[in-house]
Each structure stands twice: as C-alpha cells, then as structure tokens.
Amino acid sequence: LTGPGGFIDISQATRNISFLCTFTTKGLAVNIDGKQGKISIQKEGSVKKFVKKVFERTFSGEEAVRRGQKVFYVTERAVFR
C-alpha cells in the first residue's frame, strides 16, 4: 500500500486548496455550456464514489479553516466552500 506522499506537506503549506472530482463514475456524461456558464448531467454514472469507511484521512477541512486556508470542492453538481 502506498502512502499520501507529499500531499500533506503541500496541502498544509498553501493558502487555497481546490479538490476537483465527480460524485459518480463509469458512464457519467455531462454537458458543459461555456456561453451560459452551465453544466448538466446527461447520464448518471453507475458507480458512486462515496464510501462508508476510509483507510486513511490525509486532509481535514476543519483544520484548514482554523489555519485560515480557503478550501473549495468542485464537482459536476456544485462548488462547495
């Protein structure tokens, strides 16, 4: 099993952090309308990416906010801060 590498050092040393991901995979199809600034889901993916249990937690949003970092989660559905 591999570890987090330098991710922890890098994520703790920056002011802004952006995580980009999708909620599902395997068959997900999206349409991006750059002129309207909209994205729409054409076909939902068949595999959900959320899991009930993780092997290792390498990032804490709560700790990042305490340190004054701005954290963004960008998905095909929304942007969360």
Side-chain angles (χ1 to χ4, degrees):
L1 222 36
T2 60
F7 173 76
I8 296 170
D9 295 330
I10 293 168
S11 65
Q12 288 182 354
T14 186
R15 293 189 59 173
N16 300 310
I17 302 168
S18 297
F19 293 99
L20 293 86
C21 64
T22 58
F23 283 5
T24 63
T25 189
K26 195 173 181 185
L28 175 66
V30 296
N31 182 45
I32 301 171
D33 184 342
K35 290 182 181 181
Q36 295 285 327
K38 295 182 179 180
I39 188 168
S40 59
I41 299 170
Q42 301 299 309
K43 182 181 176 199
E44 189 64 72
S46 62
V47 177
K48 295 179 181 177
K49 290 186 175 181
F50 286 96
V51 296
K52 293 181 180 185
K53 190 174 182 181
V54 296
F55 175 73
E56 181 177 27
R57 188 177 72 174
T58 58
F59 181 79
S60 167
E62 183 178 334
E63 178 62 23
V65 169
R66 188 189 68 74
R67 285 196 307 269
Q69 293 175 297
K70 290 182 181 176
V71 182
F72 298 91
Y73 299 91
V74 182
T75 75
E76 79 282 12
R77 299 165 199 273
V79 176
F80 304 94
R81 179 168 182 238

